[in-house]
Amino acid sequence: MDAPTNDGFLKITDSRTDREYQIPIRDGAVPALQLRQIKTSDDDFGLLAYDPAFQNTASCRSAITYIDGERGILRYRGYPIEELAVGSTFLEVAYLLLYGELPEPAELTRWTHDITHHTFVHENIRKFIDGFRYDAHPMGMLVSTLAALSTFYPDAKELFDEEQRRTQIVRLIAKMPTLAAFAYRHAVGHPTVYPDNDLAYAGNFMNMMWKATELKYQPNPVFEHALDVLFILHADHEQNCSASTMRVVGSSHADPYSAAAAASAALYGPLHGGANEQVLRMLNTIGSVENIPAYIERVKTGEFRLMGFGHRVYKNFDPRAKIIKKIADEVFEVTGRNPLLDIALELERIALEDEYFVSHKLYPNVDFYSGIIYQTMGFPVEMFPVLFAIGRMPGWLAQWREGLLDSEQAIARPRQLYVGEPERHVEVGRASSFD
Ligand code: CMC
């Protein structure tokens, strides 16, 4: 059995009042609002749950993604990630995350057709991208252009019309590779390449990234497959920082483009989707295998973290990292071995034996090897978080849709414990800047 279903009661005695309470336990959780009844007096606000960074708070009921961090299990809609990675395409997985089932052939045909035919963006978006400096980070460009898309689709505000919602979902999944590739081509000063509807999702993205003077771009099938699998592995990860951001912004009934821009901004941070970029920078800084022990010592003294290691949820291994290692081998068979791989493997070996990493339950996460594959395929490091964002878009949208349709949800609005000054007053006659 996956999730705890044992219901019961939590008996609480409040030592301040000696009063007893019974708080219901449902699905292994107590409803935090029930704590409000625990008061010291009638005008007391009631007990709050204090949980910085939501480390022990379930913010929703979700049927999308299941993770067992102790056992290294990740499932989308019940299907193990290992099976989806070998048996499905990214677009099938996107459909699964959003609508709960793998698509039947007719549904898949329509889904693929719709996504393929929404890959173009308005020409003004291209001009908007032209306004960025030549050295603008592509993730900054992606965040901004996603937000800008909301101004092109005012119909996206019709959140509770299922057809409208589906259209925006299709548009967002379809346009992500286009925005990403346009941002890249702008950064390198190359003319934009428009989508090629003959190509599949990942292959078309490669076309927009790398097509030069050839009449028809032919994606390398090994790279195309690797990219598709990497997108699948990144497609959802339940209530992580960016998915929670998507839900929180969505809870105010902002349109999905604005919510997706906010989710991408959350992903940009080096502790989240920015980590794969940091892993590559770290491997380059280490430079060679001999420098690893000294580097590890500095991590252990707390000078900095070993990027690509550790996870809030996985405490034994990250199942995505295992699949990525296999994909890396397939890519290296085509390209030859990336020299950074030797540093990564040695770093992993030492870290997995070292008492600090073992006792802190720190294992390679999804970002540890993905960056090396991306680099080998020719993506610059700045594009790594952008690649993560392309893969994560269906997950964000599934979380957003589920949140919108959940009658238990309302606008997200946490409480705080105020620790500032008590009431005080502005001194009469105090000199002000208007004097
Ligand atoms: N290197 C060295 N020490 C670490 C690391 C690391 N990568 N991660 C955690 N620790 C230590 C940390 O110093 C702390 O030690 P102590 O208890 O002695 O003070 C302990 O482990 C717990 O750390 P934490 O920050 O409380 O753990 P968390 O669950 O809040 O953080 C994390 C999870 C992913 C932010 C963190 O492990 C980290 O910063 N890792 C490096 C960045 C990274 O690879 N991020 C990608 C995450 S996977 C992709 C994604 O979902 O975005």
Side-chain angles (χ1 to χ4, degrees), residues 271-273 275 299 305-312 315 356 360 362 365-367 388:
L271 297 188
H272 192 7
V299 170
R305 288 184 173 207
L306 198 55
M307 299 313 285
F309 267 70
H311 201 276
R312 172 66 61 79
K315 296 301 172 196
Y356 175 89
H360 285 78
L362 298 171
N365 59 45
V366 67
D367 291 320
F388 193 153

Side-chain angles (χ1 to χ4, degrees), residues 151-292:
T151 66
F152 290 80
Y153 303 113
D155 49 349
K157 292 190 178 14
E158 288 167 43
L159 302 174
F160 294 99
D161 175 330
E162 177 59 27
E163 251 328 286
Q164 282 294 350
R165 231 181 359 238
R166 186 183 186 280
T167 304
Q168 315 316 328
I169 285 170
V170 164
R171 282 182 178 143
L172 271 160
I173 295 174
K175 292 182 202 309
M176 278 297 274
T178 314
L179 298 180
F182 279 18
Y184 166 74
R185 303 280 295 203
H186 172 77
V188 292
H190 289 173
T192 42
V193 173
Y194 288 90
D196 179 345
N197 287 357
D198 293 341
L199 296 173
Y201 192 82
N204 176 44
F205 174 51
M206 293 165 69
N207 158 65
M208 292 187 286
M209 284 287 297
W210 293 311
K211 183 171 183 291
T213 55
E214 65 272 41
L215 285 179
K216 184 98 181 152
Y217 180 83
Q218 301 291 352
N220 177 308
V222 175
F223 289 4
E224 188 181 8
H225 174 251
L227 205 51
D228 203 66
V229 174
L230 284 160
F231 287 156
I232 292 174
L233 299 184
H234 285 91
D236 194 49
H237 215 229
E238 49 119 309
Q239 309 313 314
N240 55 81
C241 179
S242 56
S244 303
T245 304
M246 186 85 189
R247 277 181 179 261
V248 167
V249 178
S251 78
S252 76
H253 294 178
D255 68 83
Y257 300 97
S258 304
S264 315
L267 188 77
Y268 194 0
L271 297 188
H272 192 7
N276 51 16
E277 184 177 345
Q278 300 305 324
V279 170
L280 242 279
R281 294 192 197 286
M282 175 187 80
L283 295 176
N284 280 322
T285 305
I286 295 174
S288 74
V289 168
E290 308 82 71
N291 299 334
I292 292 177

Side-chain angles (χ1 to χ4, degrees), residues 110-185:
R110 181 176 167 224
W111 179 240
T112 308
H113 173 276
D114 288 353
I115 291 190
T116 308
H117 288 83
H118 279 88
T119 46
F120 273 71
V121 291
H122 193 288
E123 274 300 286
N124 286 359
I125 284 285
R126 204 178 52 74
K127 291 188 198 147
F128 181 77
I129 291 177
D130 274 348
F132 283 101
R133 269 176 60 121
Y134 69 93
D135 59 352
H137 195 290
M139 200 61 188
M141 292 194 252
L142 181 75
V143 170
S144 320
T145 45
L146 273 172
L149 277 184
S150 81
T151 66
F152 290 80
Y153 303 113
D155 49 349
K157 292 190 178 14
E158 288 167 43
L159 302 174
F160 294 99
D161 175 330
E162 177 59 27
E163 251 328 286
Q164 282 294 350
R165 231 181 359 238
R166 186 183 186 280
T167 304
Q168 315 316 328
I169 285 170
V170 164
R171 282 182 178 143
L172 271 160
I173 295 174
K175 292 182 202 309
M176 278 297 274
T178 314
L179 298 180
F182 279 18
Y184 166 74
R185 303 280 295 203

Side-chain angles (χ1 to χ4, degrees), residues 13-19:
T13 308
D14 185 345
S15 68
R16 300 169 303 174
T17 58
D18 278 339
R19 273 197 216 133

Side-chain angles (χ1 to χ4, degrees), residues 289-301 303-304:
V289 168
E290 308 82 71
N291 299 334
I292 292 177
Y295 195 86
I296 295 254
E297 281 316 305
R298 292 172 71 191
V299 170
K300 282 157 61 176
T301 58
E303 206 176 313
F304 39 68

